[in-house]
Amino acid sequence: MQIRKHRRSAMLAFTGLISLAVAVPALAQQAKEDETKVKDKSEIETVVVTGTRIKRPNLTSNSPITVIDSEYLQNRGLGRIEDAISTLPQVHPMMGMKTSGETVGAHEINMRRLGAGRTLTLINGVRTINDVGTIPGSLIERVDILTGGASAVYGSDAIGGVVNFITKTRFNGVTVDAEVSAQQHENDNQFMLDLLQKRGYATPKKTFFGGEQYYFNVTAGTDFNQGKGNISGFLGYKETTPIQWSEIDHAACRLNMNQQSGYGNYTPPTQLKNDTFDCNFTEYRPYGWFSVNGSEYQLAKDGSKTWVPFNENDLQRAPIEDYMQRSDQVYRGGLFFNYKFSERLKLNLNVLYTENETKSQARRIPVDYVEVEVQCANSLLSAQQRSLLCPTTGGVTPTTGMLYTAIWRPQADQDFSFGARTLNAQLGISGRFSDELNYNVSYARYTRDDVYESNHIFIGNFQNRVAEGIEGVGASGTCAPPSGSTNTQCVPGNIYSYDGKGLGDAAYAYYDEAGQTKTTRENEIFVATISGELGKFGLKSPWANDPVAYALSGEYRKDTVTTGGTGGYSWFVAYTGTQDVKEAAVEIDIPLIQDKPFIRDLTLNGGYRLSDYSTHDRVVKTWKAELSWQPTNDVRFRASVNEAFRVAEKERLEGIHEYPDSRFLDFCAPPAAGSVYTRYTYEQCSINMTQAQYNALTNDPGYRCDTAGFCNTGTLVNGGRQDLKPETARSYTAGVVFRPTFWRDFTATADWYSIDITNAFEWVRADQIFTQCYDNKITTYCDLYKRNATSGRIETVDARWVNAGMTKTKGVDISANYTLRLPEGINGVKVGSFSFGLNGTRTLSNQRKYIASAPTISCVGYFGSTCGDPWTKWRHTATLNWLTPWEDISVGLNWRYVGETKNDRLSPDKALAAKPNPGNTNLFPLAEKMPARSYFDLAVRVPVTRKVEVRFNVQNLLDTEPPLLGEPIGNTFNTYPSFYDALGRTLRVGMTAKF
């Protein structure tokens, strides 16, 4: 009964608000003839603050808000808005165009590193897709970044924060914005150059210059009907050219922190110490490699079916031609229409369209090592090869021989492309019905089509198909799938003579293929808000000057997601999911005390929202409470508590994906011969496993376990889960704003925050399941393994989304701004003015659990295998700008700082540190820490005329190289390119012209 009561109350409130809001414009039109009797409020600025729907003069935020203005965006590049936002310490840096291999189409904002799904993105206060790339930089007036929960105001997803892009929608005349930029780097890292030369790789040019980006946008608009209306539109284009790994010295080969075998007579030690950088395997063996009865061979160069001794001199070092910077083309267009019928009725229409195609490539030669049992009667073998593979011993010729070989496809250039089309339309009417009553009604719809394509995709059971195509060939020269195989056919692999094609076109057509995935998202949002002040009703504190203000809103949203895959991505299960929500919310702003001793202002703000989702059986409730106390004009204290929530969309609606023939760690089976690992005892494996199952695995060659303990286990299952409940977060903030009257033009803020997420959406990390189950005895992980009742083999692993996670994060945001004005100059010499700015975050803690019974990990101050990108304790960006007295020329210097982090494998926390590896000491003298890095950016703005301005800027002015690391930690450009500049300097020139 209680649930139904809340649902009925929410729907009655929602219906009433919608009806009233829709009626207001009609009433306003009816009262048009009386508009002269109403005081013209156009002279009074109504401040619109992100984080509240209340509109009133002099309203200030009780939640911390960082504002990025258009000048900062221009200095960072209008074509790279994602890079500008990434500099903010409250935002986890985005990769942007800096990705390798498979492309990433969307530039998603991730606040507090809580995940992009927990950051809500708005355009002019209305929900939109979380992708910076859909918004043209030259049209952004400012970006408001509210850190902390805001679900009581905006609904689901506003857990980590809200990013509100305020766009320019009214133009008169023509404005042209153009930019061109490029990357420049001195390839003078002598250590890398020596290593490349020593290992036979080509060295890059001494000076790299490339990766150009071209940005162009033209906007035109005009007022009409005596300024009551305005119509404007824009067209834009952006193109980015690619950069390859091999063009930059510190990325020209994938680093490994151990010397590699295969170079001369070097034999790696049994215990690896991770103390020597070396180039990882990127060689090409054009004549193959075969290990037969302890000897190494390659194919004869003349094309005959002959094995000759393997010659290292025939190895060809393949340069890494993967992209460090993707190629990209973006087309944009839009229309803005505004008309003010009166103060009572205003109409606005905004339409934004973006179409982009981004491409990447992996020019590697795909290599896979397989151990196969070849029939000695195989008709593809020559007599010489048969004699080596199947030697007669004691007058007996074996029927099979073991062959270990490297399989690759020459010229298998894997190309990736990602295309996205986004249409975002907003229609709104707003106005002031009276001095005390404002209204706003808006309808928004955005659609997005994402198409991802790739060629040369190795199918899930690639290794099995290759093995069967070699093992299954007998005297007839044909093959058939062996008994029990999941494959429907068998294509012979002719690996016994050199023809430059490897296994052959027919075989590769069976082993890999092209594929495509397509995802369509459609979102509709209808919001009606009524706001105002209640002074005429006497609702005002006796100790305050301002009356109580309020905002009532009703909202309806419908989200639809459709996806599917074809070809090599046919495993990408097709599904269509839809959910809608009806919401009713109230906000109230109560000035309690004003203009009293030690209480310049004391204001309480609160909010409450009811959300009825079609996919849930309960109404979701969220609320906020905020307090602001200003004892003097110099200082203001603020605090807030927010109950935020997030309703699963992708995690709930998406289909279930199954990956057959996956490999999982299973030391309950014997690892392959030669392994440094030891099989677990039955006592260790007795969780969810019988003695009979353990015994059955003792001699099961079909399980195909390798020396690292990974076995051909079965099917990995991930994807959506229909019973997911909303995740909730309690956010606290407390801070101070210092704006001293005795120190002109100085402002400083400090805000503490704490965010605690419960029932968090998490997908289970498959690589952790075995150790968490059998080492740490966490039965929740053991339940994810489903073993065959007889053989003991792992048949399925369920790694779908669950409501079992926990995340807690705490920290302090600090900002300061000061402008030094020197109108009299120094000693009579005009020097202009100087402005200083600082925006920094000190992360105090971050705790996370993937499932409730799992150990808690804390990554603050660490990077590595578990933590991933560096979790710095301190990040900041600081600016110094000089406005010269000469023709308003300005010069700006920006300082980006990334604090030091340590290798998580060296953490004293056992839950975070890696378990010692028998073949590796897990000591990392080359990667004990990622040292702190400072980057400096220079920007110069020159007004050429009153209508033309030229901009010059250099990012990473000193060409500071990133700290390097290699496998087994990571090899994305041998560093973390989202945190450290991996492409050298960025040189950019831009222009804005107004006509």
Side-chain angles (χ1 to χ4, degrees):
M1 290 295 294
Q2 189 68 23
I3 295 173
R4 289 196 295 269
K5 180 179 178 181
H6 279 299
R7 185 183 295 271
R8 185 169 58 250
S9 300
M11 292 309 97
L12 286 174
F14 174 83
T15 304
L17 283 166
I18 296 298
S19 300
L20 179 57
V22 171
V24 166
L27 294 173
Q29 287 182 343
Q30 292 174 4
K32 184 175 181 180
E33 62 272 15
D34 298 326
E35 67 179 341
T36 54
K37 300 177 183 178
V38 180
K39 182 179 179 180
D40 186 1
K41 293 290 185 178
S42 61
E43 298 177 0
I44 301 177
E45 181 182 5
T46 299
V47 179
V48 179
V49 179
T50 299
T52 179
R53 297 190 188 277
I54 295 175
K55 297 183 179 181
R56 69 188 307 175
N58 305 318
L59 183 67
T60 55
S61 172
N62 293 325
S63 298
I65 293 181
T66 299
V67 179
I68 301 177
D69 60 18
S70 58
E71 181 175 332
Y72 185 83
L73 297 178
Q74 288 175 337
N75 288 344
R76 298 292 304 178
L78 295 175
R80 295 252 172 133
I81 301 303
E82 68 275 8
D83 288 350
I85 295 176
S86 291
T87 63
L88 301 179
Q90 298 86 355
V91 176
H92 181 63
M94 290 170 274
M95 287 288 284
M97 299 303 298
K98 303 182 292 293
T99 56
S100 179
E102 296 190 9
T103 57
V104 178
H107 308 307
E108 297 180 320
I109 303 175
N110 180 356
M111 299 286 294
R112 303 289 189 204
R113 202 167 177 175
L114 296 175
R118 297 185 177 118
T119 298
L120 180 61
T121 306
L122 312 174
I123 295 181
N124 300 322
V126 180
R127 282 172 172 263
T128 188
I129 192 169
N130 188 352
D131 183 4
V132 181
T134 64
I135 305 170
S138 54
L139 267 67
I140 297 175
E141 183 174 297
R142 72 175 197 273
V143 183
D144 292 347
I145 299 179
L146 183 147
T147 53
S151 289
V153 179
Y154 298 113
S156 177
D157 305 334
I159 287 180
V162 176
V163 180
N164 190 8
F165 291 90
I166 309 299
T167 62
K168 307 169 187 176
T169 60
R170 192 179 185 113
F171 295 86
N172 274 290
V174 178
T175 300
V176 176
D177 289 285
E179 285 184 353
V180 60
S181 66
Q183 306 299 134
Q184 187 270 329
H185 174 66
E186 292 299 324
N187 287 317
D188 55 3
N189 187 321
Q190 198 58 49
F191 168 78
M192 287 296 301
L193 296 176
D194 291 344
L195 180 60
L196 290 167
Q197 188 173 25
K198 178 181 179 181
R199 295 312 186 200
Y201 292 90
T203 56
K205 295 180 180 179
K206 182 177 180 180
T207 299
F208 168 76
F209 186 88
E212 295 86 350
Q213 183 181 84
Y214 308 94
Y215 176 90
F216 179 82
N217 193 92
V218 57
T219 308
T222 183
D223 286 341
F224 62 91
N225 197 12
Q226 299 178 338
K228 291 184 177 181
N230 180 274
I231 184 169
S232 304
F234 75 92
L235 291 173
Y237 174 75
K238 181 179 74 172
E239 179 180 355
T240 307
T241 58
I243 300 174
Q244 297 177 349
W245 287 49
S246 56
E247 297 180 280
I248 305 294
D249 52 3
H250 53 256
C253 80
R254 289 184 173 91
L255 290 176
N256 188 292
M257 284 187 279
N258 295 293
Q259 190 169 349
Q260 299 298 287
S261 60
Y263 299 108
N265 295 320
Y266 171 77
T267 300
T270 303
Q271 285 275 309
L272 302 177
K273 298 182 179 180
N274 306 303
D275 59 355
T276 303
F277 271 136
D278 203 350
C279 288
N280 211 333
F281 297 110
T282 53
E283 68 264 9
Y284 172 35
R285 305 181 181 200
Y287 306 107
W289 174 84
F290 305 85
S291 177
V292 182
N293 294 321
S295 299
E296 294 182 282
Y297 299 98
Q298 68 184 39
L299 295 172
K301 300 179 182 180
D302 60 7
S304 63
K305 290 185 176 182
T306 305
W307 283 333
V308 298
F310 181 74
N311 187 347
E312 286 191 2
N313 294 326
D314 288 330
L315 284 175
Q316 295 182 13
R317 310 302 183 197
I320 306 178
E321 296 178 342
D322 298 31
Y323 284 170
M324 294 184 70
Q325 174 173 281
R326 307 193 312 267
S327 67
D328 189 52
Q329 285 186 317
V330 182
Y331 300 88
R332 294 191 179 101
L335 176 69
F336 308 111
F337 178 83
N338 301 276
Y339 195 85
K340 178 179 177 181
F341 295 94
S342 69
E343 283 298 318
R344 303 168 187 265
L345 179 60
K346 302 173 185 177
L347 172 69
N348 64 81
L349 171 66
N350 304 331
V351 180
L352 300 175
Y353 176 78
T354 302
E355 179 176 332
N356 77 291
E357 182 176 12
T358 183
K359 295 182 179 181
S360 189
Q361 68 181 20
R363 298 298 191 198
R364 62 185 182 275
I365 309 299
V367 175
D368 216 328
Y369 293 88
V370 293
E371 188 173 17
V372 290
E373 193 172 19
V374 180
Q375 298 180 44
C376 295
N378 188 326
S379 63
L380 300 179
L381 287 168
S382 69
Q384 184 256 8
Q385 291 169 334
R386 185 176 293 107
S387 65
L388 293 173
L389 181 66
C390 306
T392 300
T393 304
V396 178
T397 301
T399 58
T400 61
M402 296 304 298
L403 175 66
Y404 193 45
T405 183
I407 301 298
W408 71 93
R409 182 169 189 173
Q411 306 306 317
D413 301 338
Q414 193 166 21
D415 299 302
F416 311 93
S417 69
F418 182 95
R421 296 179 180 178
T422 305
L423 178 64
N424 196 317
Q426 299 177 3
L427 175 65
I429 53 175
S430 60
R432 186 189 304 276
F433 185 56
S434 68
D435 288 350
E436 295 80 20
L437 181 62
N438 305 297
Y439 72 91
N440 188 298
V441 181
S442 67
Y443 171 79
R445 177 183 177 89
Y446 67 83
T447 61
R448 182 181 176 100
D449 291 320
D450 292 335
V451 178
Y452 174 74
E453 295 178 310
S454 176
N455 60 359
H456 298 313
I457 304 163
F458 284 156
I459 58 178
N461 59 355
F462 163 75
Q463 281 195 327
N464 284 353
R465 289 193 176 191
V466 170
E468 291 176 6
I470 298 174
E471 291 180 345
V473 179
S476 66
T478 61
C479 66
S483 177
S485 173
T486 59
N487 298 321
T488 60
Q489 58 179 306
C490 181
V491 178
N494 186 357
I495 60 173
Y496 306 108
S497 62
Y498 173 73
D499 62 0
K501 294 184 177 180
L503 287 171
D505 292 339
Y508 279 113
Y510 177 57
Y511 301 146
D512 71 33
E513 58 185 329
Q516 180 190 91
T517 67
K518 183 176 181 180
T519 301
T520 298
R521 299 180 183 273
E522 298 179 357
N523 297 76
E524 293 182 277
I525 307 107
F526 181 77
V527 183
T529 302
I530 298 170
S531 63
E533 298 179 342
L534 298 173
K536 69 178 298 183
F537 300 104
L539 293 180
K540 182 173 76 70
S541 167
W543 304 285
N545 302 322
D546 296 327
V548 174
Y550 70 95
L552 301 173
S553 62
E555 187 166 344
Y556 172 80
R557 298 195 303 274
K558 183 178 181 180
D559 304 329
T560 302
V561 181
T562 303
T563 190
T566 58
Y569 294 121
S570 57
W571 52 263
F572 197 80
V573 180
Y575 70 93
T576 297
T578 299
Q579 70 178 10
D580 61 57
V581 58
K582 304 178 184 69
E583 298 182 303
V586 59
E587 283 187 82
I588 190 167
D589 190 69
I590 308 173
L592 299 174
I593 305 174
Q594 292 177 317
D595 295 332
K596 304 299 183 197
F598 302 109
I599 306 180
R600 179 71 179 84
D601 184 271
L602 181 64
T603 298
L604 177 67
N605 184 283
Y608 190 79
R609 175 177 288 256
L610 296 174
S611 303
D612 182 13
Y613 281 84
S614 62
T615 53
H616 292 277
D617 58 357
R618 292 179 178 238
V619 171
V620 181
K621 296 168 285 185
T622 186
W623 54 270
K624 71 168 183 174
E626 302 174 338
L627 183 67
S628 173
W629 171 40
Q630 187 175 355
T632 69
N633 289 332
D634 299 332
V635 64
R636 181 167 68 95
F637 299 95
R638 58 190 181 190
S640 69
V641 56
N642 283 267
E643 181 87 14
F645 73 98
R646 178 182 174 217
V647 172
E649 181 181 286
K650 174 181 180 294
E651 299 86 352
R652 183 184 178 94
L653 298 180
E654 73 171 324
I656 297 175
H657 306 271
E658 296 185 354
Y659 305 88
D661 298 298
S662 297
R663 300 175 66 82
F664 297 103
L665 190 66
D666 190 7
F667 285 127
C668 293
S675 173
V676 296
Y677 295 94
T678 303
R679 184 188 184 189
Y680 283 19
T681 65
Y682 172 68
E683 286 70 23
Q684 291 174 286
C685 295
S686 59
I687 303 175
N688 290 355
M689 190 177 191
T690 66
Q691 182 74 59
Q693 289 174 312
Y694 182 83
N695 293 340
L697 290 176
T698 302
N699 185 18
D700 185 357
Y703 206 24
R704 292 185 183 275
C705 298
D706 61 20
T707 56
F710 285 85
C711 311
N712 257 4
T713 57
T715 301
L716 171 65
V717 180
N718 64 23
R721 191 182 293 273
Q722 295 296 311
D723 58 353
L724 284 178
K725 303 296 188 294
E727 60 179 12
T728 58
R730 183 69 62 84
S731 302
Y732 300 91
T733 66
V736 59
V737 180
F738 184 50
R739 185 180 287 112
T741 55
F742 57 84
W743 192 359
R744 185 186 175 191
D745 296 324
F746 176 80
T747 303
T749 67
D751 289 278
W752 170 85
Y753 66 87
S754 174
I755 304 174
D756 185 354
I757 305 173
T758 56
N759 293 323
F761 307 143
E762 289 287 358
W763 54 272
V764 181
R765 274 66 177 169
D767 59 340
Q768 297 180 354
I769 293 176
F770 185 87
T771 56
Q772 293 293 351
C773 170
Y774 296 104
D775 293 344
N776 299 326
K777 309 302 180 184
I778 300 175
T779 57
T780 307
Y781 278 99
C782 301
D783 293 339
L784 302 174
Y785 269 0
K786 307 298 180 184
R787 292 184 180 271
N788 182 278
T790 303
S791 68
R793 293 183 182 184
I794 299 171
E795 292 187 324
T796 61
V797 174
D798 188 349
R800 291 181 294 161
W801 291 97
V802 291
N803 266 122
M806 179 277 291
T807 297
K808 295 181 179 180
T809 185
K810 296 179 182 179
V812 178
D813 292 329
I814 298 174
S815 71
N817 293 279
Y818 175 58
T819 300
L820 176 63
R821 306 178 191 275
L822 300 170
E824 303 301 325
I826 299 177
N827 295 328
V829 178
K830 298 288 187 180
V831 295
S833 61
F834 299 86
S835 59
F836 308 86
L838 171 69
N839 181 10
T841 293
R842 173 67 163 89
T843 303
L844 301 174
S845 68
N846 186 287
Q847 297 177 312
R848 187 175 185 181
K849 287 185 178 183
Y850 294 125
I851 61 176
S853 53
T856 300
I857 63 173
S858 178
C859 283
V860 175
Y862 291 98
F863 72 92
S865 300
T866 300
C867 295
D869 287 357
W871 290 71
T872 57
K873 294 182 179 179
W874 174 258
R875 279 179 63 206
H876 77 239
T877 180
T879 58
L880 167 62
N881 291 308
W882 174 31
L883 180 60
T884 74
W886 309 292
E887 304 296 335
D888 290 332
I889 296 173
S890 65
V891 181
L893 185 66
N894 186 62
W895 172 25
R896 294 176 282 133
Y897 178 82
V898 180
E900 175 186 292
T901 51
K902 298 179 181 179
N903 192 327
D904 59 16
R905 292 197 177 191
L906 305 180
S907 169
D909 184 355
K910 293 183 179 180
L912 184 61
K915 182 181 178 180
N917 183 329
N920 192 309
T921 63
N922 277 338
L923 297 175
F924 294 91
L926 294 176
E928 292 182 349
K929 65 180 180 180
M930 299 292 276
R933 277 290 190 270
S934 290
Y935 295 98
F936 297 94
D937 312 320
L938 179 68
V940 179
R941 306 169 69 94
V942 180
V944 179
T945 69
R946 293 179 58 187
K947 296 183 177 182
V948 177
E949 180 186 73
V950 177
R951 302 180 299 274
F952 306 91
N953 62 71
V954 182
Q955 292 165 217
N956 190 7
L957 183 65
L958 303 180
D959 193 16
T960 302
E961 291 196 357
L964 299 181
L965 74 164
E967 292 285 5
I969 298 297
N971 64 355
T972 304
F973 317 153
N974 299 322
T975 188
Y976 292 106
S978 57
F979 275 83
Y980 307 103
D981 287 12
L983 300 177
R985 296 184 182 92
T986 301
L987 309 176
R988 180 179 291 108
V989 59
M991 178 203 70
T992 298
K994 298 180 180 180
F995 306 98

